[in-house]
Amino acid sequence: YNFDQAFGRFWDYFLQSGLRDNTVVIFTSDHAHFQGKDFRELVKGEEDYQPYFVDRIPLLIYHPYVDLPESFDARHASSIDFAPTVAHLMQLENRPNAFTGRSIFDREAEESLAFGDGNLYLMGANGIRAQSGYDETSGADEQMNQMYKLIQNIHALESQGRIWQAVTEEAESP
């Protein structure tokens, strides 16, 4: 109730301001409900409960000059698809980048990835497959192993400061 009231006040202000004609508003969450002990106890008997920290989150987009559908099936997209989606909405040129995901408006895959707590999750219409740790000898799904290794390598490069090209004054000059 409190959140709805606060967001309603913001939204009323926003629509009355001059910002509504030149500002994109994206409303989402960084994760679903935390699966703490009380939550797990509440839902453990539910038929569709899975003990993964992966679930649906809201993604509401207000864009003043792009005609978006009222509803859209993102086909199991995950947070790795968020940055490419925002870049797509901003009509930025599609250039090589370090993002693993793809825009939800430009996806062909019926499955998507999520990564967290050392686990890789492949989500699709048939549910969620989880891979804990990378071990080529574990007999795990080869696609999962390849994606897990890719994400591990990206994280290693990022922690070494090697994934994003450094911007220099020379690079900024025309």
Side-chain angles (χ1 to χ4, degrees):
Y1 173 83
N2 291 338
F3 177 80
D4 289 349
Q5 289 294 318
F7 187 80
R9 286 194 308 271
F10 158 76
W11 194 246
D12 288 343
Y13 168 81
F14 174 77
L15 291 178
Q16 299 302 316
S17 76
L19 298 172
R20 78 177 205 187
D21 296 328
N22 65 4
T23 304
V24 174
V25 176
I26 299 173
F27 178 89
T28 190
S29 172
D30 63 338
H31 58 77
H33 189 279
F34 178 69
Q35 300 217 13
K37 180 181 176 186
D38 293 337
F39 179 77
R40 289 191 313 270
E41 186 63 31
L42 176 69
V43 298
K44 68 181 180 184
E46 298 292 324
E47 184 177 314
D48 62 347
Y49 169 69
Q50 295 183 16
Y52 306 128
F53 190 49
V54 176
D55 202 354
R56 294 180 181 145
I57 61 169
L59 178 60
L60 306 171
I61 303 168
Y62 169 84
H63 201 305
Y65 53 89
V66 171
D67 188 24
L68 295 171
E70 184 174 317
S71 177
F72 183 79
D73 182 358
R75 294 182 306 197
H76 313 288
S78 73
S79 59
I80 68 171
D81 300 312
F82 184 70
T85 298
V86 171
H88 187 156
L89 283 172
M90 299 297 106
Q91 301 174 347
L92 298 176
E93 183 181 341
N94 187 12
R95 296 169 47 170
N97 60 66
F99 297 120
T100 306
R102 295 186 62 177
S103 168
I104 64 171
F105 302 112
D106 186 31
R107 291 182 67 230
E108 296 172 8
E110 291 297 326
E111 294 182 308
S112 189
L113 294 169
F115 184 79
D117 297 329
N119 299 315
L120 177 68
Y121 303 97
L122 187 61
M123 302 166 295
N126 295 325
I128 300 171
R129 290 187 287 157
Q131 167 106 16
S132 298
Y134 176 73
D135 180 4
E136 291 182 85
T137 63
S138 70
D141 180 284
E142 181 60 28
Q143 181 184 13
M144 293 281 283
N145 279 336
Q146 288 176 352
M147 289 308 299
Y148 190 86
K149 192 171 187 176
L150 171 67
I151 291 171
Q152 290 257 8
N153 289 336
I154 289 171
H155 282 192
L157 291 171
E158 186 175 25
S159 68
Q160 297 168 18
R162 295 176 45 207
I163 198 157
W164 303 105
Q165 180 182 0
V167 176
T168 63
E169 289 181 28
E170 295 168 6
E172 293 176 349
S173 301

